[in-house]
């Protein structure tokens, strides 16, 4: 994702935290910035090729970037998910209908909007007594064809 976006910065921080939490050293050469589009997802695959790095999985900051990455990986003759597993983020409608379908993270945007509206109404209706609180909406990993290697066993 784009590092001039809070979402991009947070997703990159999450990636780095996950690596550290599992004792895996960060390799900056495996990180390629994009602009949330299929074209920049495809460009990221080319950047990784030019850097000469190898990888068995690619995590894109959103599904559009994952879709572009999948197309670029297939053009290079690599098999998904056998050689490279691909994950997106956002559970876009297009991600289900790609070939292969894109594994993704569902953020439940409707629930986020509903919860935000409820918190706002609490503030509007009773500003003196309403408590400022943080609500966490859990996300869900959706495994689809782009990462499902179970059939290979």
């Amino acid at each position: 994702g784009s590092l001039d976006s809070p979402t991009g910065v947070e997703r990159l921080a999450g990636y780095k935290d996950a690596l550290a939490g599992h004792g895996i050293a960060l390799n900056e050469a495996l990180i390629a910035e994009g602009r949330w589009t299929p074209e920049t997802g495809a460009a990221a695959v080319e950047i990784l090729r030019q850097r000469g790095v190898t990888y068995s999985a690619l995590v894109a900051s959103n599904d559009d970037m994952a879709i572009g990455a999948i197309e670029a990986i297939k053009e290079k003759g690599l098999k998904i998910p056998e050689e490279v597993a691909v994950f997106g983020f956002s559970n876009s409608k297009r991600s289900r209908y790609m070939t292969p379908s894109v594994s993704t993270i569902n953020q439940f945007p409707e629930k986020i909007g509903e919860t935000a509206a409820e918190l706002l109404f609490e503030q509007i209706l009773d500003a003196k007594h309403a408590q400022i609180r943080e609500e966490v909406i859990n996300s869900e990993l959706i495994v689809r064809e782009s990462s499902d290697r179970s059939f290979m066993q």
Side-chain angles (χ1 to χ4, degrees):
S2 175
L3 295 180
D4 60 4
S5 156
T7 302
V9 171
E10 290 171 4
R11 290 185 184 168
L12 180 57
Y15 168 72
K16 290 177 178 181
D17 289 347
L19 289 176
H22 288 87
I24 300 170
L26 174 67
N27 180 350
E28 293 280 348
L30 290 171
I31 299 171
E33 186 177 359
R35 295 277 178 202
W36 311 105
T37 65
E39 293 80 14
T40 60
V45 170
E46 178 57 22
I47 288 167
L48 296 174
R49 187 198 65 73
Q50 289 174 3
R51 291 178 183 166
V53 295
T54 58
Y55 50 94
S56 60
L58 184 144
V59 179
S61 290
N62 71 359
D63 287 351
D64 279 349
M65 291 181 72
I67 288 166
I70 286 171
E71 292 305 315
I73 290 166
K74 290 186 334 188
E75 285 175 10
K76 298 198 178 329
L78 298 172
K79 293 182 177 137
I80 300 170
E82 296 89 339
E83 295 175 277
V84 180
V86 179
F87 296 85
F89 205 104
S90 67
N91 194 27
S92 69
K93 289 183 181 180
R94 275 191 344 166
S95 67
R96 324 182 178 140
Y97 301 108
M98 288 289 302
T99 302
S101 56
V102 182
S103 294
T104 188
I105 302 291
N106 186 7
Q107 299 174 274
F108 302 103
E110 295 86 5
K111 180 67 176 164
I112 292 170
E114 178 184 305
T115 302
E118 288 173 6
L119 294 171
L120 178 61
F121 287 136
E122 286 176 16
Q123 292 291 319
I124 292 170
L125 297 174
D126 192 6
K128 287 185 180 182
H129 298 100
Q131 301 261 328
I132 295 176
R133 67 181 199 274
E134 182 178 300
E135 292 281 332
V136 175
I137 310 298
N138 291 322
S139 56
E140 170 191 26
L141 172 64
I142 299 173
V143 176
R144 294 190 180 121
E145 297 165 340
S146 70
S147 69
D148 185 3
R149 294 179 176 164
S150 63
F151 70 91
M152 296 169 47
Q153 298 175 6

